[in-house]
Amino acid sequence: MPPLLSPHRLPAPCPARPGGRPRRLLPQLRWRILGALWSLGLSIASSLAAVESVGPFFEPDFPFVQTSVEVLAPSPAKRQPGNVVVRGVLLPLSEGWTVLFDQELLRVAAIWRTPEGASPVTLRTMAQVSYAEPHRKAGTELPRPAASPVVASRVAPGVALSGKELATDPRAPRVLEEAGKGPLPAQTWRFEGVELAGRVAVLRYRCGEAEVREWHESRGDTVLRHWEVSGNAEPLFFALGEAGGKEWAVSGGQSARCGSLFVEARGATLETEGASLVARLEASAGKRLWTVGYREAGVPDLGSEALALPVPPPEKEPRWSHTVRTRVEMDKVRARGLAMDGIALPLENPWKRRVRPADVAFLSADRAAVVTFDGDVWLVEGLAGATLGEVTWRRFASGLQEPLTIANVGGILQVSTRNGLVRLADQRGSGEADWYENFADVALQSQSSRAFALDMAVAPDGTSYVSQGGLVPRAGMASPATGGITRISPDGRHAEVIATGAREPYLCLNPRTGGLSGTDQQGQFIPSSACYWIREGDHFGFGEEQPAKLTPPLVWIPHFQDNSCASQVWLEGRGMGVLEGKLMHLSYGRGVPFLICPDLQARVPQGALIPLGLETNLPLLHARMHPAGDSVFTCGFQIYDSRTGTNWGMGRIRLSGEALEAPVEALSFQDGVLLRFATPLDPASVRPEGVLAAVWNYRRSKAYGSGLYKRSGESGVDPIAVGQVVLSADGRTVFVHLPGLEPVMQLEVRHDFRFQSGGPAKGAVYFTIHEPRRLDLREAGFGGVDLSRSVPVVRVPERQLPTIEQGRALSVSMGCVACHSVDGTQEGKTGPTWKGLFGKDRMFTDGSMESANEYYIRASVLEPEKKIVAGYQPGMASYKGLLNEDQIESLILYIRSLK
C-alpha cells in the first residue's frame, strides 16, 4: 500500500482574500467589507450569506463521481426487477458521453449522451438536491440518466469465466424492490478501486486470476472501452450490453450491429449470449491491451494509434493547486467552564465547491483531513497550539458518495461512503489522492436514499464498525444492514451484522477498553433519543411496537434535552483535566455537548446524562480528540431540522480555565444518586431545598416519539421525595437520598448549589434505572450518614403564570423553532410557520378544515399526528406530559402574538 501523503507540506497560499480568489477580481471596497466581516466572526454564523454561489455538483473536469443510479425502474405489477446501480462510478467523458460502471457487478450498466448544459444524471440524492438548496431533502427516487441509454447491460456480472455466468446474478436473491445485494462472490470477483491518471479514471478489478484495468474515452460519436488484462489461464468473457431488447447481428467476430447501434472490437472476439453482446478474450500468458467501440448510425472510430494504458503525467503538478486561508475566532462561545473556538470554512474557494463538513481525522497535531457531505476531502493545517490564528485548506480528494465519516488508519485515510470504505492514497507525491482503493464493500448498502452510511469507528487492530440509517420510505427496501451495525474485518474482506433495529445509529469506540457505544434518534417506534452500550446480538426495536427482543438503552435522553442525537467521543488526554476518560455526547438537534456516565457494574448497563450547558450554535455531527489530548474538534452541517442558527461549521471545544459548573460524574443506586463535581462545593449550599426530583416513562408506538407518562399511566411526571443531601469530606461529591428508587425510564434530578468560590453549580442530571443496585455509603465516603433519620419531602417547581415571554422562551428550549419559523419563512423548516397562524383556516390531509384557534394549537401540541396539515409530513413528537397547562397557554399566547 502506498503512503497516504508524501512528507511535504502544503504549498504557500496564493495571494488572495479569505475566499481564495485573486485580489484583482474584487474591488478594494468589497475586500475591506469582507475583512470586517471576518473580524466580526461572521464567517461561520452567516455561512449561507458568505457563499455567493456554488458550482455544479458534478465538476466537469473531475474524471469520476460515485453515485447510485436507477437505469430502469422496477415493475412490481409485472414482477420485473429494475436496473438499479447502488454503488455506481459515474465517468463523464468528452462530447457529453457518460459511462456508468457498477462496482458491485463489475459491469458497465449504461452509456448515454448527456444533453449540453445538463448534469449526467438527475439530481435526486440528498447530497445532490441539497447542494444548491441546503435545506432541500431527498425523496425516495434515485438519480436517472440524463438521456436514454444507447446501450445498457442486464443485472448480472460484467465479466466472468464463462458466457453463461454473464446471464444471471449469482448473489443471494432479495425482494423485488431492493437492489442492495452487495458485491459478487469474492472467490471469483473483486473491485479494487479507481486510479487517476491525469484526467482519466482507470477502473481496477479482478476476475479469477486475471487483473483487469478498464478505462474509457470518446471520439466524436464513438465511445471506447479499453482494457489491460494480465495473463489469464482460461478465457474471459465481458458483457458489452443490450440495445432495446433487440437481437445482435455479429459479423466476422469483430463487428456487431443491433438496430442503429454498431460495435467494433480489436483484440477480442464478439459473440452473443441471449440478447446480450459478449466479448471473448482468449487465454494468454502475458498482458494484453484491447478495445471495443460503440457508435450510433455508423462504424465506431477505433483510431489507428497503438493502445497504451494511461499513466499519470511525469510532473507532480496537483489538480487543485490553490489553497485557502480562513481565520479562527477564539472563544466564540464560552460558558460553564467550557469554550468553543470557531474555525471558518473555505466557503469561498476557486472551485465554488460547497463545504459541508461532516467529520475530521488528525494526521498530526497540526494537520487534519476534513470530509464533506459533498464528496470532498480537504487537508487542513494550523490546528496546533493553545491559540489558533489562521488555518490553511487544500483539496485532497473528491467524487465520494455522501461520505459522513473519516478516520486515520495507520497513516491511511479511510472514508465511509455509500460505495463502501474507501482508502485514499497519494501515489505520485502531488499532495492529492490518485488512488481510491475499494478497501471494503462487503457491508450491504440499501438502495434507499435514506439509508445513509452514518458512522464508522475503527479499532486499534483495524477492525471497522459501520452503521447505516434504518429509516427507509417503504417496506421491502431494507437490507439486513439497514438500521444496523456491521463489523468489518481488518483486511476488509468479511462483514457481519452484529446489531439491528436502529433508526439512525451513530457509533463510538472506547480506545481503552474497546467497548462500543452508540446513539439513536427519537422518531417512530423510538419514544425518545437514547444512548446504548452495544453488544453483539442487540436489537433496538425500530419498526416494531412490541418487539420480541429489545435491548434496553444505557440512558434515555429527554426530548427537550436532545431530540436528535449524533455521535460521541471519549475524552482521552490529560489536557482535558477532570474530563479525561469521560464520554462526550453530541446533539445535532440542539448543538450542545453532554456527558454520558455509563454504569457498567449494574446487571443491565444503565447510566446518566449530564448537560454541559455549552450552546455551540453548530449542528454537531462528529467530534474527534486532538492528538495533544487537550481539545475536541467538531464538524457538522444541517439539512434536517436543527435548533441551531448555523447551517454548517467547525469548532474546537476545550476547557476555558474556569470552574466546570456541571457535575462530571453521576450514578444511581437503590437509595439515591451520587453527583461528583470537579471543584469543591460550599457546604452551606448543599441542602435538600436545593434539589428537585421527578420520574416518568415513555411509550413505544408507531407515533413519532412519546409524551411523558406517570407510573399510573396518566400523562405527566411524578415528583418524588428528597431526603438527606450530604456533601463528602473533599467537598466534591453529593449524595442525594431518594428513598425507594424503582426501575424507571427517566429520573430527573435538578440541583442548585454553589461552589466555594461563590459561583453557581446549578443544573440537572437525567438517569435511566433498569435495576437499582446497592450502595455502600461508607465505601463511597459517607460513613456517618444514617438514612433512617431522613425526612423525605416532595417538592415541585414554582408555578409560572402564562406569558408571551415564557412562550417565546419555550419555543426555543423545546425545539419548536427548529421546525416552525416565526417570521414567515419556510427554508429549512418542516412545519408550518407560526407567523399569522392564529385564526387561519387549516386544510388537513384528510380533506377537513379547522381554524387555528387555541383548541387546535393545544391539540397539535399534545396529539400532533392526529391531524396533519396538507403539504406536510408527520414528524412531530407529542409534548403530552412534558408541558403543563400554564406552559401550553404561554405557547398559545406567543403564537397569537405573531401577527
Side-chain angles (χ1 to χ4, degrees):
M1 172 68 65
L4 166 68
L5 297 172
S6 55
H8 69 268
R9 309 290 283 179
L10 297 182
C14 62
R17 61 187 176 100
R21 280 181 277 180
R23 187 176 301 177
R24 59 183 173 81
L25 295 180
L26 290 175
Q28 289 297 315
L29 176 60
R30 192 173 180 188
W31 187 188
R32 292 171 184 170
I33 292 173
L34 282 172
L37 289 177
W38 281 111
S39 65
L40 290 173
L42 298 180
S43 56
I44 295 181
S46 303
S47 54
L48 274 177
V51 180
E52 297 171 347
S53 63
V54 292
F57 181 83
F58 293 99
E59 292 184 282
D61 59 347
F62 194 71
F64 83 95
V65 178
Q66 298 174 346
T67 183
S68 302
V69 179
E70 184 177 62
V71 180
L72 178 67
S75 176
K78 297 181 180 180
R79 298 299 299 168
Q80 293 177 348
N83 189 343
V84 177
V85 178
V86 177
R87 288 170 165 160
V89 181
L90 202 68
L91 302 156
L93 309 178
S94 59
E95 289 91 23
W97 287 106
T98 302
V99 175
L100 173 64
F101 184 79
D102 184 341
Q103 77 171 52
E104 293 188 321
L105 285 169
L106 305 182
R107 63 176 177 136
V108 166
I111 301 174
W112 63 91
R113 198 165 194 175
T114 301
E116 185 175 356
S119 293
V121 294
T122 56
L123 303 177
R124 291 183 176 175
T125 70
M126 184 170 288
Q128 294 165 6
V129 301
S130 65
Y131 183 76
E133 301 175 59
H135 289 284
R136 187 179 168 198
K137 283 79 174 174
T140 59
E141 296 180 331
L142 293 177
R144 293 181 179 176
S148 297
V150 172
V151 64
S153 66
R154 66 180 66 179
V155 182
V159 59
L161 301 178
S162 72
K164 291 184 178 180
E165 287 182 307
L166 300 178
T168 58
D169 187 347
R171 300 173 298 175
R174 299 288 304 284
V175 296
L176 178 65
E177 287 184 283
E178 176 56 57
K181 299 180 181 179
L184 291 166
Q187 61 267 29
T188 302
W189 296 274
R190 176 168 171 77
F191 179 63
E192 302 292 349
V194 182
E195 190 170 23
L196 299 187
R199 296 189 178 276
V200 178
V202 179
L203 307 172
R204 290 169 48 178
Y205 51 92
R206 176 181 59 80
C207 179
E209 299 301 320
E211 300 292 335
V212 182
R213 284 176 164 85
E214 179 178 349
W215 68 101
H216 310 83
E217 67 170 310
S218 58
R219 295 179 178 176
D221 292 334
T222 299
V223 175
L224 300 174
R225 293 179 65 183
H226 301 304
W227 289 268
E228 180 195 77
V229 180
S230 68
N232 52 300
E234 51 189 323
L236 290 176
F237 296 82
F238 293 80
L240 301 182
E242 302 176 353
K246 301 175 183 177
E247 294 294 326
W248 288 95
V250 178
S251 175
Q254 302 300 309
S255 302
R257 180 178 179 179
C258 184
S260 62
L261 180 63
F262 291 77
V263 176
E264 289 282 323
R266 178 186 296 166
T269 303
L270 299 181
E271 54 188 54
T272 58
E273 179 65 42
S276 295
L277 185 65
V278 173
R280 176 188 175 104
L281 187 69
E282 299 298 338
S284 174
K287 289 184 179 179
R288 281 161 303 160
L289 294 163
W290 60 286
T291 294
V292 167
Y294 301 81
R295 185 180 180 184
E296 285 192 296
V299 178
D301 176 17
L302 300 186
S304 58
E305 65 274 15
L307 181 62
L309 178 71
V311 295
E315 66 276 9
K316 295 183 178 181
E317 180 65 26
R319 183 185 306 273
W320 304 296
S321 58
H322 291 82
T323 58
V324 182
R325 282 180 177 167
T326 65
R327 297 186 182 179
V328 178
E329 181 182 355
M330 297 294 295
D331 290 314
K332 184 177 179 66
V333 181
R334 194 180 182 98
R336 298 173 63 94
L338 294 173
M340 189 199 75
D341 307 318
I343 302 170
L345 303 174
L347 300 177
E348 294 186 57
N349 55 75
W351 313 279
K352 294 187 175 182
R353 290 294 289 173
R354 183 75 80 195
V355 183
R356 296 182 285 184
D359 195 9
V360 58
F362 281 92
L363 302 167
S364 67
D366 187 58
R367 200 179 195 202
V370 173
V371 67
T372 75
F373 191 51
D374 314 294
D376 296 321
V377 174
W378 295 73
L379 298 182
V380 190
E381 282 191 355
L383 301 179
T387 301
L388 304 181
E390 283 190 335
V391 296
T392 303
W393 298 73
R394 178 176 174 180
R395 289 180 73 182
F396 177 69
S398 191
L400 304 171
Q401 183 176 193
E402 295 191 338
L404 286 172
T405 45
I406 189 169
N408 178 355
V409 184
I412 304 293
L413 283 179
Q414 178 173 297
V415 186
S416 179
T417 76
R418 284 176 62 94
N419 276 47
L421 300 185
V422 178
R423 287 191 170 182
L424 306 171
D426 173 18
Q427 298 182 115
R428 59 190 181 100
S430 67
E432 297 172 359
D434 50 27
W435 172 229
Y436 293 70
E437 178 194 1
N438 172 40
F439 176 69
D441 60 0
V442 286
L444 297 182
Q445 173 62 51
S446 170
Q447 73 185 63
S448 168
S449 61
R450 293 295 301 273
F452 305 114
L454 278 178
D455 213 348
M456 170 181 64
V458 184
D461 69 350
T463 299
S464 297
Y465 297 87
V466 296
S467 64
Q468 186 178 139
L471 188 60
V472 297
R474 59 181 180 267
M477 294 191 72
S479 78
T482 306
I485 296 160
T486 302
R487 181 172 56 209
I488 300 174
S489 60
D491 62 2
R493 297 300 193 264
H494 306 282
E496 179 184 11
V497 177
I498 63 169
T500 57
R503 182 176 184 269
E504 298 290 324
Y506 284 83
L507 303 175
C508 182
L509 195 69
N510 188 323
R512 297 184 183 181
T513 67
L516 191 65
S517 65
T519 69
D520 205 0
Q521 298 177 353
Q522 167 191 270
Q524 292 90 351
F525 306 101
I526 306 296
S528 195
S529 294
C531 172
Y532 292 90
W533 196 256
I534 299 170
R535 293 162 298 184
E536 195 161 341
D538 281 348
H539 181 73
F540 308 113
F542 178 62
E544 304 175 63
E545 287 195 57
Q546 295 181 326
K549 179 181 180 181
L550 183 63
T551 299
L554 192 69
V555 60
W556 290 106
I557 301 173
H559 167 78
F560 54 89
Q561 287 294 336
D562 185 7
N563 65 318
S564 187
C565 295
S567 194
Q568 302 175 333
V569 59
W570 287 94
L571 305 178
E572 294 295 330
R574 293 185 178 180
M576 297 306 298
V578 294
L579 295 181
E580 182 182 10
K582 307 298 183 184
L583 179 60
M584 178 178 282
H585 169 91
L586 304 180
S587 169
Y588 166 84
R590 284 189 55 203
V592 296
F594 299 84
L595 288 183
I596 297 283
C597 299
D599 181 2
L600 303 182
Q601 295 184 29
R603 192 179 64 86
V604 179
Q606 56 193 24
L609 175 86
I610 302 175
L612 292 173
L614 182 73
E615 302 279 349
T616 70
N617 199 34
L618 299 180
L620 303 175
L621 284 178
H622 287 103
R624 306 297 178 194
M625 281 299 305
H626 189 273
D630 59 359
S631 58
V632 172
F633 281 70
T634 68
C635 287
F637 64 94
Q638 65 166 299
I639 297 176
Y640 280 91
D641 307 314
S642 172
R643 303 184 211 180
T644 63
T646 305
N647 288 282
W648 38 70
M650 183 174 176
R652 178 177 75 163
I653 297 175
R654 54 182 171 79
L655 297 174
S656 67
E658 301 163 339
L660 281 168
E661 295 182 20
V664 295
E665 190 173 356
L667 292 169
S668 65
F669 301 92
Q670 285 179 343
D671 297 314
V673 299
L674 290 177
L675 306 178
R676 182 163 182 79
F677 293 83
T679 54
L681 298 170
D682 177 3
S685 72
V686 181
R687 301 173 297 117
E689 294 77 11
V691 178
L692 296 173
V695 295
W696 64 83
N697 290 306
Y698 302 103
R699 287 182 182 172
R700 179 182 297 271
S701 73
K702 63 181 179 181
Y704 194 99
S706 169
L708 311 188
Y709 294 91
K710 300 180 180 181
R711 290 164 173 163
S712 64
E714 299 176 355
S715 65
V717 304
D718 288 310
I720 61 173
V722 177
Q724 299 181 60
V725 177
V726 186
L727 184 64
S728 63
D730 66 0
R732 289 180 168 85
T733 304
V734 176
F735 170 68
V736 178
H737 182 205
L738 303 173
L741 271 184
E742 299 176 351
V744 69
M745 297 175 80
Q746 206 83 78
L747 162 66
E748 177 189 61
V749 177
R750 301 190 198 177
H751 58 87
D752 189 356
F753 307 137
R754 293 191 313 275
F755 292 109
Q756 285 184 0
S757 61
K762 184 177 181 179
V765 180
Y766 298 89
F767 300 85
T768 291
I769 305 175
H770 299 303
E771 186 176 297
R773 62 188 183 92
R774 295 184 67 254
L775 170 66
D776 189 318
L777 286 172
R778 184 175 300 278
E779 287 185 2
F782 298 92
V785 175
D786 184 357
L787 298 183
S788 66
R789 300 177 59 184
S790 284
V791 182
V793 176
V794 176
R795 298 178 179 85
V796 296
E798 294 182 6
R799 180 186 177 188
Q800 290 184 305
L801 295 176
T803 64
I804 292 175
E805 279 304 313
Q806 187 189 8
R808 180 182 290 108
L810 284 168
S811 73
V812 176
S813 64
M814 294 295 168
C816 309
V817 293
C819 302
H820 304 278
S821 76
V822 296
D823 59 3
T825 60
Q826 281 299 125
E827 183 181 12
K829 306 298 180 182
T830 55
T833 182
W834 282 358
K835 185 174 182 179
L837 171 67
F838 196 87
K840 186 177 181 180
D841 287 341
R842 313 300 288 160
M843 173 73 76
F844 303 110
T845 53
D846 62 1
S848 63
M849 291 187 66
E850 184 177 338
S851 175
N853 54 29
E854 60 181 288
Y855 303 105
Y856 163 78
I857 295 174
R858 179 177 281 102
S860 297
V861 169
L862 299 178
E863 297 179 289
E865 294 199 345
K866 191 171 184 179
K867 290 186 176 182
I868 305 298
V869 176
Y872 295 90
Q873 298 294 324
M876 176 175 165
S878 170
Y879 286 78
K880 185 180 295 184
L882 179 58
L883 297 176
N884 59 38
E885 187 59 29
D886 290 339
Q887 291 172 319
I888 294 175
E889 287 290 338
S890 293
L891 278 174
I892 294 172
L893 289 173
Y894 177 50
I895 294 172
R896 190 168 191 163
S897 73
L898 298 171
K899 305 294 186 181

